[in-house]
Amino acid sequence: MRDSLPDRGQAHTLEAVAAAILLLGSLTFALQVTAVTPLSASTSNQHIENQQAATVEGVIESARESGALYEAALYWNDSAGNFHDADRRGFTTNEDVRRIPLGSALAAEFAERGVAFNVRFRYQREDGQERTVQYIYRGQPSDNAVTRKATVTLYEDDPLIAADRSPTSTTVNESSLYASNADPSSNLYNVIRVEVTVWRM
Amino acid sequence: MANSRSTGRSPRAQTTIDFAIGAGVFLVAIAFIIAFMPAMFSPYLDGTQEETVAADRMAGQLSKGVLADPERPYLLDSACTVDFFNDSQTSPPPDCRFDQSVTDVREKLGVDDRFGLRVELREPGEAQEALCWNASAEAVVPEESGACDPDAGDTVFVTGDELTEVESVVVARRSITIDGREGTLFVRVW
């Protein structure tokens, strides 16, 4: 009996570790049970996505109004076979995006806030298949990216835009634009869909 | 047995260091759980969900229906915008889509009094200067450009309460064009 007095209180180390694991396990269970909604404060908050989507819509509307969308779709270097400030992969990734109004509007609105944007053009070929060409590429969009689209209609006698934003003498029909003539029988050349994707880096 | 008692060890194959480690692990776990308790209740506390929805709605309403023609969203009408931000109501145009007889911005938007509200029109980007309407030149200029003089009848495109410094503020933004000039509309609600 006298031997048992020093044995009161905690017994084996293993019991202490088991008790700690039990407590932490119950805490983890309780945390998993609590709900995190899309509006909970976090970097993937739904509110942020909504604001980005609405801002992109506004930029696209402004670009459509000022003709910047049209200019971006025709900013094609006919002799080189790609866009004017594109690198060898066919799209532009760096500060040259500011050379056209669409790029500079997007950069002014988004670049300072750590929000990246991609711009690409979607068009149809004569056989009805859709093709996409990338114009501005800033990386792979994250899971919380938003995309907004607008259409630009090209006619056969629209001139291509040179690097200094002046119209050239080459019309769309005589050039090797990324989109081909979808309807040779009429004055319509093609309908380009401009897709802008933004996401928080 | 006499040996074990004189050296202070029990006959149970556990040394003092084992006891220290076990007790230490247990106490660390207890302390961690107690420190974590407040964070566990945070999803159930009153967050900013009302303000988030209100800010988003107001920004959408302003940029697409109140200050702009609904058929041409995000392209603001200069005259109605000046009238919206101008609290003194001097010769407003008659057909703007908000209640022009009131001066408080909350009443113009139909928002409850319990929200703090501030509406601003700034240059594009982050933390840029506000835009201002120069009444004599009838053009939109930046506020710090020297061409904006509120005492001379120019309207700065900022209205609402002063920003709080203690509460959480929800910001909704829209990209707009006014008078051929790009800008960002900020609606701050707290």
Side-chain angles (χ1 to χ4, degrees):
Chain A
M1 213 172 91
R2 289 191 61 189
D3 281 347
S4 69
L5 279 176
D7 301 333
R8 290 297 94 197
Q10 186 204 322
H12 288 264
T13 308
L14 192 61
E15 291 178 8
V17 173
I21 288 174
L22 186 66
L23 283 167
L24 287 173
S26 56
L27 175 72
T28 308
F29 177 76
L31 284 176
Q32 295 295 321
V33 163
T34 61
V36 175
T37 71
L39 280 176
S40 302
S42 76
T43 53
S44 61
N45 194 325
Q46 185 65 33
H47 179 68
I48 297 177
E49 277 186 46
N50 293 344
Q51 299 314 305
Q52 283 174 2
T55 307
V56 169
E57 276 180 24
V59 173
I60 288 178
E61 281 300 317
S62 299
R64 188 211 303 272
E65 174 74 12
S66 64
L69 275 186
Y70 172 80
E71 196 178 317
L74 289 174
Y75 200 62
W76 182 257
N77 190 342
D78 200 28
S79 49
N82 58 12
F83 293 102
H84 276 295
D85 35 21
D87 57 13
R88 56 179 174 75
R89 287 173 294 178
F91 45 80
T92 179
T93 59
N94 55 16
E95 284 303 300
D96 279 347
V97 299
R98 293 178 197 267
R99 285 171 63 179
I100 58 162
L102 175 66
S104 68
L106 285 170
E109 189 66 54
F110 290 118
E112 285 179 352
R113 290 162 40 201
V115 177
F117 50 91
N118 284 357
V119 177
R120 59 186 200 175
F121 302 123
R122 213 171 171 85
Y123 56 93
Q124 273 198 348
R125 304 193 316 179
E126 295 101 11
D127 51 7
Q129 287 190 351
E130 284 203 350
R131 287 284 178 271
T132 304
V133 60
Q134 192 81 255
Y135 176 47
I136 297 174
Y137 188 70
R138 290 282 177 93
Q140 177 80 6
S142 71
D143 288 340
N144 296 316
V146 291
T147 304
R148 286 295 182 266
K149 308 164 189 139
T151 52
V152 178
T153 309
L154 298 181
Y155 296 98
E156 286 179 3
D157 44 8
D158 287 339
L160 291 183
I161 307 287
D164 58 355
R165 297 180 52 208
S166 60
T168 63
S169 53
T170 316
T171 65
V172 155
N173 207 9
E174 347 170 314
S175 71
S176 59
L177 191 67
Y178 49 89
S180 47
N181 197 337
D183 189 11
S185 60
S186 76
N187 199 24
L188 174 75
Y189 186 78
N190 210 325
V191 175
I192 312 286
R193 200 162 72 196
V194 183
E195 297 182 355
V196 183
T197 307
V198 296
W199 71 97
R200 209 176 163 78
M201 284 192 283
Chain B
M1 259 175 58
N3 275 346
S4 68
R5 278 227 303 266
S6 64
T7 56
R9 292 181 181 215
S10 77
R12 293 189 57 190
Q14 175 174 320
T15 62
T16 312
I17 195 74
D18 290 333
F19 176 75
I21 291 170
V25 166
F26 183 72
L27 288 175
V28 165
I30 291 279
F32 176 76
I33 287 170
I34 291 177
F36 217 87
M37 277 298 180
M40 197 166 70
F41 294 111
S42 64
Y44 300 109
L45 298 175
D46 190 26
T48 52
Q49 300 209 3
E50 285 180 1
E51 286 86 348
T52 306
V53 172
D56 195 42
R57 287 285 185 175
M58 276 191 268
Q61 210 181 333
L62 277 173
S63 57
K64 295 207 273 195
V66 171
L67 300 179
D69 190 348
E71 292 183 6
R72 288 155 52 93
Y74 305 110
L75 306 172
L76 303 190
D77 177 42
S78 312
C80 284
T81 309
V82 171
D83 185 44
F84 182 83
F85 285 102
N86 191 343
D87 293 333
S88 59
Q89 297 291 311
T90 55
S91 66
D95 56 351
C96 294
R97 279 166 293 276
F98 57 91
D99 190 356
Q100 295 172 262
S101 60
V102 298
T103 53
D104 186 23
V105 64
R106 263 174 292 246
E107 291 182 47
K108 287 182 192 175
L109 288 173
V111 170
D112 204 36
D113 279 345
R114 62 198 161 106
F115 289 126
L117 175 63
R118 188 174 177 85
V119 183
E120 300 166 342
L121 212 56
R122 293 186 178 270
E123 300 248 280
E126 197 67 14
Q128 300 296 323
E129 47 186 312
L131 293 174
C132 172
W133 175 257
N134 188 321
S136 49
E138 297 210 337
V140 173
V141 296
E143 187 185 9
E144 311 290 329
S145 67
C148 180
D149 187 9
D151 302 323
D154 296 341
T155 311
V156 181
F157 288 144
V158 172
T159 182
D161 312 320
E162 288 299 314
L163 270 183
T164 175
E165 292 180 11
V166 292
E167 295 176 48
S168 307
V169 180
V170 179
V171 181
R173 63 174 75 207
R174 296 289 186 272
S175 171
I176 52 93
T177 302
I178 180 168
D179 196 27
R181 207 189 165 98
E182 283 160 7
T184 303
L185 173 75
F186 290 94
V187 176
R188 304 179 196 269
V189 181
W190 60 91

